[in-house]
Amino acid sequence: MEKNTNRFPMSQVYGFLLSLILTFAAAGIALKTSLSFHVVMWIIGSLAVVQAALQLFMFMHVTEGEDGKAQVINIVYGVFCALIIVVGTIWVMSFGMHNH
């Protein structure tokens, strides 16, 4: 049976609205609360991870397709590359000046 592709994409609208809510929640927490810097950073980081997962499922169509295993491998590889870049950048910026 063929899917109806002419309907309005409500799931994308819901994903967009949820992304906006998460963004405004992070901004509100950062600007309007008196929490410590570290707590605010952990909350913003957690909301960012939730928003990234939301966008993967709502906009990137991770659950669609016949070969779900390849999509999971690609996502794991992308997360691995991002972690290497972020951790490597922090390491170089923190400890790279000790040789001078």
Side-chain angles (χ1 to χ4, degrees), residues 9-70:
M10 283 307 292
S11 64
Q12 279 82 10
V13 173
Y14 293 142
F16 177 69
L17 291 174
L18 286 172
S19 294
L20 282 178
I21 290 169
L22 289 170
T23 300
F24 289 128
I29 288 170
L31 298 173
K32 301 291 183 184
T33 63
S34 61
L35 297 172
S36 71
F37 175 77
H38 295 293
V39 172
V40 169
M41 288 295 113
W42 275 104
I43 292 172
I44 290 175
S46 300
L47 290 174
V49 169
V50 170
Q51 185 171 359
L54 173 79
Q55 289 180 2
L56 276 173
F57 285 101
M58 299 300 267
F59 301 120
M60 303 298 284
H61 307 287
V62 171
T63 57
E64 294 179 6
E66 295 179 18
D67 191 18
K69 186 177 183 182

